[in-house]
């Protein structure tokens, strides 16, 4: 499991990015970039919302130099009119609003894939048994792949099951 340091002051984006990285990555969220950059070498990836930091006047020249000097692969989120973007190797800039495909592509490019046994297939691109590629229904993927598919229980199947009727307490009436 990879470790990601997310520097994002906006709570809704903290949750959205964390959920998009779950369960492959352990995400630590920081609001303040100053204290977070001291421990950045312990992480596999740094994600910084430069636009939000600039709005809060936390994007100082010292912070820009720190990000430029760190060796950790960095994903930098910015608005269209950003003027203070760090420049270095292993830094990818994504314009906000963040699109899922661009975000996933940037992650794949920054994080080196684990070597696999099959030539030409990275570990991040390998589908899990029984799962279909994104955008392809499971049934169709099983028919086209020619491999037996494993059927997993979807959470929807569990939720949609009917519960047995509640057995209320029987009240006994005493007769006088």
């Amino acid at each position: 499991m990879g470790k990601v340091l997310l520097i994002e002051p906006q709570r809704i984006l903290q949750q959205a990015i964390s959920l998009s990285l779950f369960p492959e990555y352990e995400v630590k969220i920081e609001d303040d970039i100053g204290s977070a950059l001291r421990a950045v070498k312990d992480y596999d990836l740094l994600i910084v919302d430069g636009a939000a930091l600039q709005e809060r006047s936390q994007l100082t020249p010292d912070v820009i130099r720190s990000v430029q000097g760190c060796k950790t692969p960095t994903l930098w989120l910015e608005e269209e009119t950003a003027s203070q973007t760090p420049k270095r190797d292993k830094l990818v800039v994504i314009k906000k609003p963040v699109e899922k495909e661009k975000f996933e592509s940037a992650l794949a490019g920054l994080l080196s894939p684990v070597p696999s046994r099959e030539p030409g297939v990275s570990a991040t691109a390998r589908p899990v048994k029984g799962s279909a590629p994104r955008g392809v229904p499971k049934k169709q993927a099983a028919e086209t792949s020619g491999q037996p598919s494993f059927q997993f229980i979807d959470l929807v199947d569990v939720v949609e099951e009917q519960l047995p009727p509640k057995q209320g307490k029987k009240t006994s009436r005493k007769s006088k």
Side-chain angles (χ1 to χ4, degrees), residues 48-51 76-86 93-97:
V48 180
D49 188 347
W76 187 269
L77 307 176
E78 70 178 13
E79 298 287 335
E80 292 292 327
T81 59
S83 60
Q84 297 181 325
T85 303
V93 178
I94 294 184
K95 303 285 184 191
K96 289 172 70 176

Side-chain angles (χ1 to χ4, degrees), residues 82-94:
S83 60
Q84 297 181 325
T85 303
K87 303 202 180 350
R88 66 173 173 88
D89 289 341
K90 293 189 178 182
L91 184 131
V92 175
V93 178
I94 294 184

Side-chain angles (χ1 to χ4, degrees), residues 17-32:
I17 293 171
S18 295
L19 286 174
S20 71
L21 296 172
F22 181 80
E24 291 88 14
Y25 302 98
E26 176 185 332
V27 180
K28 176 158 176 27
I29 300 171
E30 290 287 337
D31 301 55
D32 181 34

Side-chain angles (χ1 to χ4, degrees), residues 153-173:
I153 298 174
D154 287 336
L155 291 178
V156 176
D157 296 338
V158 175
V159 173
E160 290 178 351
E161 288 181 3
Q162 295 295 324
L163 295 175
K166 289 187 177 182
Q167 304 258 338
K169 292 183 180 177
K170 293 183 180 178
T171 57
S172 60
R173 295 187 184 198

Side-chain angles (χ1 to χ4, degrees), residues 110-158:
L110 286 171
L111 298 173
S112 58
V114 178
S116 66
R117 294 180 188 184
E118 300 174 34
V121 177
S122 69
T124 56
R126 184 179 300 143
V128 178
K129 286 185 180 179
S131 68
R134 291 184 182 205
V136 178
K138 288 181 184 178
K139 186 176 180 181
Q140 181 183 352
E143 291 171 358
T144 58
S145 68
Q147 297 177 347
S149 67
F150 298 96
Q151 295 297 321
F152 292 101
I153 298 174
D154 287 336
L155 291 178
V156 176
D157 296 338
V158 175

